[in-house]
Amino acid sequence: MNGNWVLRTGMGLVLASVAIATGVACDDKAPLANEQVPLVAPPNVPPALRRIPERVVVPLEAVEKQVEIAPGVQYRVWTFNGSVPGPMIRVKEGDSVEIRLKNRTDSEMTHSIDLHAVNGPGGGAGATTVAPGEEKAFEFKALAPGLYVYHCAAGIVADHIANGMYGAILVEPSAGLPRVDHEFYVGQSEFYTTGDTNEKGLQTQDTAKLLAENPTYVVFNGSTKGLAGDNMLKAKVGETVRIYVANGGPNFTSSFHVIGEIFDKAWNFGSFSAPIQNVQTVLVPPGGAVIVQFRVDVPGDYKLVDHALSRASKGGVGILRVEGAARPQIFDVIGTAAAGAATPGTSGATATPAAVSVPDSGTLKVTMKDNLFEPRAIAAKAGQTVTFDIPNAGKAIHNVRIADAAGSYESAASVVSDPELISPGKTGKLTFKAATTPGTFKFRCDVHPDVMTGTIAVQ
Ligand SMILES: [Cu+2]
């Protein structure tokens, strides 16, 4: 949401129409317009384009800034226009595209841009190598439709990409693309930090890990929360979703997969030749892209992952939340009505195991295994100060978050374990004061919200 919205003036369309009407050729020497393309930060995608090629201007800025790449983990990213990945650039087949790259005066590094959509030396990198405070530009003809990666190509290139300098440029085919309900832009990339995964504080790049291709984080859209929490993707039952997936790498090929969905269509390697159909997982190489499209049929949370799933514990999990009415003719859990265990805290008393009471000391061990808590039904006394000791005995990262009195995990009144994400073998803590009046509170693991749930009955 923090990208630039450079508004289209409409002038381009008018001039282009005049040119066609009067038979003026759309060649490089007679540019039709100098319209700035709209640039929006991920996961947003700029709107579909006019049908007539134009001359367009893409204003980019190299911005170095400190951001949070995981809860409590700060890192100085290098970016195009302030986001990781940089904004998705959308141009039309046949457009003449002027790329302007300005390097902010407060930058420490020289940067550049190599766009894989360019036919020309270095993809434009040589023409745009800019020291702090400099601005340079070049122009290219968007000859071939497709989804392409762009990246900084200054210095040690892997270094600049691993710090966040990559993005996607869509060269829309002349005939346009079929309309869908939602278009999203997802970038996968790695961070190589001196500290271990989830080690808090300001981290710097670990060059040895970078050269060994041993990342500390593998993330979507620049952080472990790039597509989760406030940044999760949303759609409604019956809608169509298209995702433009770009892999900055710099090193890992992504086995991109949406858990619980089948891609109705996938345009492999970002090429708009005939799509393949009914695909489970697509390969997205570093410096490459894929477009996937599917209809969501059943409500629920769908996880976006790199199916090399060890990477999920390094942050690479996103959420697509689908809302709407259940479709039991497509997906039905047998016996849900009787068990009720899927919604703890409501009518699930008969299926929930006997509650374990918090001792008078107030401290209770709540062990996190992969996919469940033990115990998961807990009883506490009204007003009691309770501390959960939370060892992670599983192989995945987990946490514990207790919902607020209204059952919401999103509100500020929900309480979360410390650390917020607990690695396998580590132990977290969560101290809270039980409500002063009886009631039932839900808790869950934010990473596995569908399966790792429990209840605290305040008596
Ligand atoms: Cu750079």
Side-chain angles (χ1 to χ4, degrees):
M1 311 305 160
N2 54 1
N4 306 326
W5 254 111
V6 182
L7 290 174
R8 295 160 64 90
T9 60
M11 268 307 273
L13 276 175
V14 173
L15 290 174
S17 308
V18 169
I20 293 301
T22 55
V24 174
C26 310
D27 64 26
D28 303 300
K29 294 189 181 71
L32 298 169
N34 288 297
E35 191 180 11
Q36 292 199 344
V37 297
L39 296 174
V40 291
N44 299 308
V45 171
L49 295 170
R50 62 216 145 52
R51 296 205 158 226
I52 303 156
E54 285 182 5
R55 184 176 192 281
V56 294
V57 176
V58 181
L60 294 172
E61 191 175 47
V63 180
E64 301 172 6
K65 65 176 192 183
Q66 191 173 311
V67 298
E68 194 175 69
I69 59 168
V73 182
Q74 306 291 325
Y75 191 81
R76 186 172 168 86
V77 290
W78 301 346
T79 72
F80 290 102
N81 291 26
S83 63
V84 178
M88 186 166 137
I89 303 166
R90 188 169 195 157
V91 300
K92 194 85 185 172
E93 180 182 356
D95 277 358
S96 295
V97 184
E98 178 182 328
I99 299 286
R100 283 186 198 153
L101 180 63
K102 182 180 175 194
N103 192 356
R104 274 171 54 150
T105 49
D106 60 358
S107 292
E108 290 173 2
M109 306 299 295
T110 290
H111 299 293
S112 69
I113 186 167
D114 165 356
L115 302 104
H116 294 180
V118 170
N119 291 95
T128 54
T129 301
V130 277
E134 281 190 319
E135 179 171 5
K136 289 183 184 170
F138 77 102
E139 184 176 323
F140 75 98
K141 188 92 167 174
L143 295 173
L147 181 66
Y148 301 91
V149 162
Y150 65 78
H151 61 88
C152 178
I156 300 167
V157 180
D159 195 10
H160 286 246
I161 295 173
N163 281 339
M165 292 194 89
Y166 77 99
I169 173 168
L170 172 66
V171 179
E172 208 182 87
S174 321
L177 292 168
R179 202 199 71 83
V180 288
D181 294 301
H182 299 279
E183 290 188 305
F184 298 117
Y185 166 37
V186 170
Q188 178 172 325
S189 66
E190 304 126 32
F191 287 112
Y192 298 80
T193 61
T194 44
D196 286 341
T197 309
N198 296 317
E199 193 169 313
K200 289 194 199 283
L202 178 61
Q203 298 294 326
T204 52
Q205 191 180 71
D206 186 323
T207 308
K209 284 183 189 168
L210 173 65
L211 295 177
E213 304 187 12
N214 179 25
T216 332
Y217 296 91
V218 180
V219 294
F220 294 124
N221 286 4
S223 86
T224 59
K225 298 229 163 166
L227 286 176
D230 291 342
N231 298 321
M232 71 170 66
L233 309 180
K234 289 185 177 166
K236 294 194 173 62
V237 167
E239 289 185 326
T240 44
V241 173
R242 181 182 297 143
I243 307 179
Y244 299 92
V245 187
N247 188 358
N251 295 315
F252 280 9
T253 294
S254 175
S255 301
F256 185 75
H257 177 81
V258 176
I259 297 175
E261 265 301 338
I262 298 161
F263 303 135
D264 301 335
K265 292 178 182 173
W267 287 270
N268 253 340
F269 304 119
S271 160
F272 285 116
S273 43
I276 49 172
Q277 295 184 44
N278 300 331
V279 188
Q280 58 194 308
T281 301
V282 291
L283 279 176
V284 196
V290 172
I291 303 121
V292 296
Q293 185 175 307
F294 51 97
R295 195 174 82 131
V296 286
D297 296 301
V298 176
D301 281 357
Y302 294 80
K303 291 199 178 72
L304 286 67
V305 296
D306 177 337
H307 214 293
L309 281 168
S310 299
R311 299 171 191 173
S313 60
K314 295 183 173 184
V317 179
I319 303 283
L320 167 64
R321 177 161 292 173
V322 178
E323 291 175 333
R327 306 273 302 281
Q329 68 274 36
I330 295 176
F331 179 84
D332 197 15
V333 178
I334 308 293
T336 40
T343 50
T346 55
S347 60
T350 53
T352 308
V356 172
S357 295
V358 177
D360 289 339
S361 69
T363 300
L364 180 70
K365 187 161 137 186
V366 180
T367 303
M368 300 187 294
K369 301 182 171 174
D370 291 338
N371 298 331
L372 61 87
F373 291 108
E374 208 169 272
R376 64 183 188 276
I378 295 164
K381 295 186 192 71
Q384 186 179 17
T385 298
V386 178
T387 297
F388 288 168
D389 272 332
I390 319 162
N392 184 348
K395 292 191 170 70
I397 283 181
H398 300 296
N399 75 354
V400 177
R401 184 184 293 275
I402 305 175
D404 68 12
S408 169
Y409 291 105
E410 311 289 338
S411 83
S414 71
V415 287
V416 70
S417 53
D418 179 28
E420 192 171 338
L421 292 170
I422 303 158
S423 300
K426 299 272 165 63
T427 294
K429 266 199 189 338
L430 203 177
T431 299
F432 63 98
K433 194 170 185 307
T436 50
T437 52
T440 301
F441 292 79
K442 300 185 292 179
F443 67 91
R444 73 172 191 194
C445 166
D446 288 332
V447 188
H448 307 92
D450 301 328
V451 287
M452 283 184 70
T453 59
T455 57
I456 304 162
V458 175
Q459 297 159 340

